[in-house]
Amino acid sequence: MSGDHQTLALLLFSAFVAVTLGITTWVSRHRHGSAEEFYTGGRLFSPMENGFAIAGDYMSAASFLGISGLIALFGYDGMLYSVGFLVAWLVVLLLVAELVRNCGRFTLADVVAARMRERPVRIAAGTSSVAVSVLYLVAQMVGAGSLVALLLGGTSEAARAWTVIGVGALMVVYVTLGGMRATTWIQIVKAVLLMAGTLALTVLVLLRFHGDFDALLTTAAERSGHGKEFLAPGLAYGGGWTARFDFMSLGLALVLGTAGLPHILSRFYTVPTARAARRSVVWAIGLIGGFYLMTIVLGFGAAALVGTDEVRASSAAGNTAVPLLALDLGGGAGSTGGTVLFAVVAAVAFATILAVVAGITLASSASVAHDLYASLKRPGRGRKPRGEVAVARLAAAGIGAVAIALGLLARDLNVAFLVGLAFAVAASANLPVLLYSLFWRNFTTRGAVWSVYGGLVPAVLLVVFSPVVSGSPEAIFPGVDFQVFPLQNPGLVSIPLGFLAGWLGTVLSHERADEARHAESEVRSLTGAGAV
């Protein structure tokens, strides 16, 4: 890319970073240092504010860069991500949003521990939450690296590495200084910027084809090199039985995974009541639904205007389809319009990454401090909220370091695909224990622990021994082959295992379920009586 692109995009990056650091600094001067302030922002956000923040948290680099890229490469099959990510919110709205807000305080483990022995449950749920969060963070780091590689002409691996490190450092600053309140306002600003940018690009694509969506699809199919197959199922998932099972596995993970994501569940605690949590989700569904419809237009627009081959040449995983589309819509390389539009889209994508990593880091550091640290320290010393907050700040730095290292390793994978893996782990480890805790009267502590580990361990092991890590040219380690599991997404196997392990642990347990605590948590979850 030209020097104009670089200069303007870097100026816009810098402006966003300056604004968000300003928000963080302002919030840090007005915080009280309490755990509730750090984890939930004092529960002071309105449903509309929280709905925008949820949308900002959810519409990640995977959504903006990854999904459009997959549609540009694989057409119809790429749309599975858009549909799965959106439908998942119906599960959240109908099954968990209000109940989680009533039962918990800060984390997923609070909901489960309300009727179980705290220590084993918190250790299991905290471990799972950190694992899911780190996987999700890796996807954002890869998105940041792809974006900067495109901006700098794709020639500098060192620049990509330093970008990933820089994003990690910024997210640690946001979380340690500002906590949930700063993170929420960063996500609101980012959601507005992303919706505005996506809407502008969608309108420009449709104007290019005079509002004729059929002409857009026809042109995309012609320039894809696949003809009508581009608009039919099977291009990515139609090969053999392995591809078909991968399709089912991915769909299952996307639809069920959202309800188990720690950074999404933690957002329900930032509003004052359960009714406000439910209304937050309604706001979020409206924003997210509109956004995912627009990503379909952008994906087919990139295939039609840029061309599938050019998208693949820039990034084999398709992560740069939207910035290339913006360049074309603005007038092409070297034009003033192209330079401005490309820089704006690159800055919005970068803002997206920064906002999402801040939310995920906060949720995972809360799990480390509130669940793992509080459970593992010597009994009898009691909980010290301020001490917990200090541990959470240290945990943010450690999690950031791990995410940076893994992001550098996985830099050539599609970001939407990486998020699909995080969703699979969330649906396997977190969702079964959450649903059993809320709805099964006889559920026990052993069932809860088995449910978490029975989903988490198989999901992680299946990913390690899948084509994602080794045994294929696109793998993280292409030079070695220890692939055993044939599917790229483990959800089809690991999600049922999580539910099965929870059931087995309960029926094989000598401990009887505490009827009184179940009744208390049921009343609390349904009515809000006694909720924080």
Side-chain angles (χ1 to χ4, degrees):
M1 297 298 161
S2 69
D4 290 340
H5 290 91
Q6 293 180 26
T7 304
L8 187 56
L10 289 171
L11 283 173
L12 291 169
F13 289 169
S14 303
F16 181 80
V17 169
V19 169
T20 52
L21 286 175
I23 292 171
T24 305
T25 305
W26 178 78
V27 167
S28 68
R29 288 177 179 173
H30 292 80
R31 60 179 168 78
H32 308 298
S34 67
E36 186 160 329
E37 170 93 15
F38 185 79
Y39 294 141
T40 68
R43 308 184 200 278
L44 299 174
F45 294 100
S46 69
M48 185 181 78
E49 289 168 345
N50 199 43
F52 268 85
I54 290 172
D57 219 353
Y58 193 69
M59 297 184 304
S60 65
S63 305
F64 190 51
L65 301 175
I67 294 176
S68 300
L70 286 172
I71 294 172
L73 295 180
F74 302 112
Y76 182 95
D77 280 9
M79 289 197 300
L80 173 65
Y81 283 88
S82 288
V83 175
F85 282 147
L86 180 56
V87 171
W89 277 99
L90 298 178
V91 178
V92 176
L93 178 63
L94 296 175
L95 290 180
V96 302
E98 195 169 347
L99 305 183
V100 165
R101 172 61 188 83
N102 282 336
C103 282
R105 281 188 74 210
F106 303 135
T107 64
L108 163 71
D110 289 336
V111 179
V112 184
R115 48 177 295 213
M116 310 290 175
R117 294 200 316 274
E118 281 205 37
R119 185 183 173 93
V121 165
R122 285 194 181 278
I123 291 171
T127 302
S128 170
S129 295
V130 172
V132 172
S133 298
V134 167
L135 267 176
Y136 211 112
L137 279 171
V138 170
Q140 312 310 313
M141 299 298 190
V142 170
S146 296
L147 199 62
V148 171
L150 177 65
L151 188 66
L152 301 178
T155 56
S156 177
E157 284 297 318
R160 290 178 72 171
W162 280 110
T163 302
V164 170
I165 293 167
V167 170
L170 278 172
M171 77 186 185
V172 172
V173 171
Y174 291 147
V175 171
T176 54
L177 288 183
M180 178 59 85
R181 191 170 296 182
T183 299
T184 299
W185 282 111
I186 291 167
Q187 287 161 346
I188 291 171
V189 171
K190 167 257 167 144
V192 172
L193 288 174
L194 184 60
M195 290 298 290
T198 308
L199 180 61
L201 287 179
T202 302
V203 169
L204 289 172
V205 169
L206 293 176
L207 284 176
R208 183 72 70 91
F209 290 92
H210 309 290
D212 188 344
F213 195 70
D214 187 55
L216 167 62
L217 294 179
T218 304
T219 308
E222 289 171 358
R223 294 207 61 190
S224 70
H226 298 286
K228 290 184 179 178
E229 292 179 6
F230 191 69
L231 304 178
L235 194 59
Y237 298 105
W241 67 269
T242 306
R244 295 173 192 273
F245 277 116
D246 241 332
F247 180 86
M248 290 188 284
S249 188
L250 177 63
L252 194 64
L254 295 181
V255 170
L256 297 179
T258 300
L261 292 175
H263 65 291
I264 296 298
L265 294 175
S266 67
R267 290 239 56 93
F268 300 140
Y269 302 128
T270 62
V271 288
T273 64
R275 183 168 180 265
R278 188 174 66 249
R279 288 173 61 202
S280 297
V281 175
V282 174
W283 272 99
I285 287 175
L287 292 165
I288 291 165
F291 173 76
Y292 282 122
L293 286 174
M294 290 189 286
T295 60
I296 295 172
V297 176
L298 298 186
F300 284 114
L305 298 175
V306 179
T308 299
D309 290 340
E310 192 170 332
V311 170
R312 188 175 280 110
S314 172
S315 167
N319 293 331
T320 55
V322 173
L324 290 173
L325 174 64
L327 188 63
D328 186 273
L329 289 170
S335 66
T336 303
T339 299
V340 170
L341 204 53
F342 174 89
V344 168
V345 167
V348 168
F350 202 70
T352 294
I353 291 163
L354 288 178
V356 172
V357 296
I360 302 167
T361 306
L362 180 60
S364 53
S365 62
S367 291
V368 171
H370 186 63
D371 300 326
L372 297 177
Y373 166 73
S375 299
L376 293 172
K377 69 181 181 180
R378 288 203 307 271
R381 295 178 64 181
R383 278 179 185 264
K384 293 182 180 178
R386 286 176 186 262
E388 255 186 46
V389 172
V391 171
R393 292 194 172 107
L394 286 173
I399 289 163
V402 172
I404 288 167
L406 292 174
L408 294 173
L409 273 178
R411 61 183 177 271
D412 294 323
L413 296 180
N414 181 278
V415 284
F417 169 74
L418 285 169
V419 165
L421 296 182
F423 272 60
V425 177
S428 305
N430 292 347
L431 184 65
V433 72
L434 182 61
L435 294 184
Y436 279 148
S437 298
L438 291 173
F439 300 111
W440 189 12
R441 180 180 299 275
N442 296 323
F443 196 44
T444 64
T445 300
R446 178 184 286 185
V449 174
W450 282 29
S451 180
V452 173
Y453 292 129
L456 176 64
V457 174
V460 173
L461 285 177
L462 290 175
V463 170
V464 169
F465 292 107
S466 75
V468 175
V469 175
S470 71
S472 70
E474 300 84 20
I476 295 176
F477 302 111
V480 293
D481 186 0
F482 46 85
Q483 172 198 338
V484 176
F485 183 64
L487 304 184
Q488 293 191 328
N489 190 292
L492 195 62
V493 176
S494 58
I495 295 171
L497 283 177
F499 281 99
L500 177 63
W503 176 78
L504 272 177
T506 298
V507 298
L508 296 176
S509 174
H510 300 299
E511 162 197 17
R512 293 184 62 82
D514 190 325
E515 291 286 336
R517 290 181 75 181
H518 169 72
E520 182 186 339
S521 65
E522 187 175 41
V523 169
R524 181 171 162 182
S525 67
L526 294 174
T527 67
V532 178

